[in-house]
Amino acid sequence: MSKSRNNFDNIAREHSVLLNEYGRVQSRCSELVARQVDQIEILQAELTHMRAEMMRLHATVMVRDTALAYAREDLRNLQATILGLPTRVTLARRVESLTQHVQALLRERLGLHVKVQSASTVDGVASVCAEMPMDLREKSVLCVGQDEPATIVAQQAIEKAGGHFLHHDGHDGVDEAALEASLKMADMVICQTGCVSHDAYWRVQDHCKRTGKKCVLVEQTQTLHFVRTRDTII
């Protein structure tokens, strides 16, 4: 009797354990099912939204295609009513091409004009340097002007004659102190009147007038030429 009782108790405990485990499994399955239901609902909502968006885009494309078809039809009708339209379009394109060609020629002409002016400036300064005294040893010659080729020619001629070359751009917004210092250091001044600012030009004239220094003015009109050389600027 006691043995049967023990067997019954063991079976009851095992049954209780199985029931508890079954409950946990059932609860877990319920949670998984609930999650899947939520995911399915989310996917269904997204699918519904995508279908609605696809329908909207399809309608937009249809409207666009319809408008494009009408526009093409209107264009064909307009072209049919305007006589000589293809010829006019061709002429307009030809005019545009010719305009661009003319602009290119004008730019090329401007570039050639600048080159000619630069070459003339070099010739003018070279003429001035040729008339300078050959013996410039221990003398400083100041060249005022922005023309680089002419400045190089002047520098070569002055240094070849044994002089000391000085240079100042003489541009707008000139450094008054630097120009005045260069003028004081110079024994002779070459001023490119067509390549300096008005302020620098008058400062050169005033300094040479006050100090009696020799000043050579080089002026550029059609071609740059030597204007005058004198001991004092009046």
Side-chain angles (χ1 to χ4, degrees), residues 57-234:
L57 292 175
H58 182 66
T60 302
V61 171
M62 290 182 61
V63 171
R64 185 202 62 185
D65 291 344
T66 302
L68 182 60
Y70 279 121
R72 288 175 176 172
E73 183 65 23
D74 292 340
L75 179 60
R76 284 193 293 269
N77 294 334
L78 181 62
Q79 290 175 342
T81 57
I82 300 177
L83 297 177
L85 180 61
T87 303
R88 294 180 184 179
V89 172
T90 302
L91 289 176
R93 291 175 179 172
R94 179 61 177 167
V95 169
E96 182 180 359
S97 176
L98 290 175
T99 301
Q100 293 177 354
H101 182 61
V102 169
Q103 291 176 350
L105 290 176
L106 289 174
R107 287 193 295 268
E108 183 178 356
R109 179 177 178 272
L110 179 61
L112 291 175
H113 180 65
V114 171
K115 290 181 180 179
V116 169
Q117 285 187 337
S118 179
S120 300
T121 303
V122 172
D123 293 340
V125 173
S127 299
V128 171
C129 293
E131 297 190 17
M132 290 191 304
M134 294 303 295
D135 188 6
L136 293 177
R137 288 190 297 269
E138 298 182 0
K139 292 184 179 180
S140 297
V141 180
L142 172 63
C143 183
V144 182
Q146 301 181 51
D147 191 282
E148 184 176 356
T151 301
I152 294 175
V153 170
Q155 181 178 3
Q156 292 175 348
I158 292 167
E159 292 178 349
K160 183 178 180 180
H164 177 61
F165 176 77
L166 302 174
H167 177 253
H168 193 283
D169 287 341
H171 54 76
D172 290 332
V174 61
D175 186 345
E176 299 177 2
L179 178 57
E180 191 65 28
S182 298
L183 289 169
K184 289 180 180 179
M185 293 174 59
D187 298 300
M188 177 180 176
V189 181
I190 299 175
C191 182
Q192 303 172 27
T193 59
C195 305
V196 297
S197 66
H198 290 291
D199 183 55
Y201 173 77
W202 289 114
R203 285 185 179 278
V204 170
Q205 279 202 347
D206 179 69
H207 178 84
C208 292
K209 181 179 179 180
R210 287 187 289 103
T211 60
K213 291 181 181 179
K214 178 178 291 187
C215 181
V216 177
L217 299 181
V218 179
E219 181 179 352
Q220 179 178 343
T221 53
Q222 293 297 325
T223 58
L224 200 67
H225 58 279
F226 173 59
V227 178
R228 63 185 181 275
T229 304
R230 57 188 178 183
D231 293 336
T232 304
I233 297 295
I234 300 175

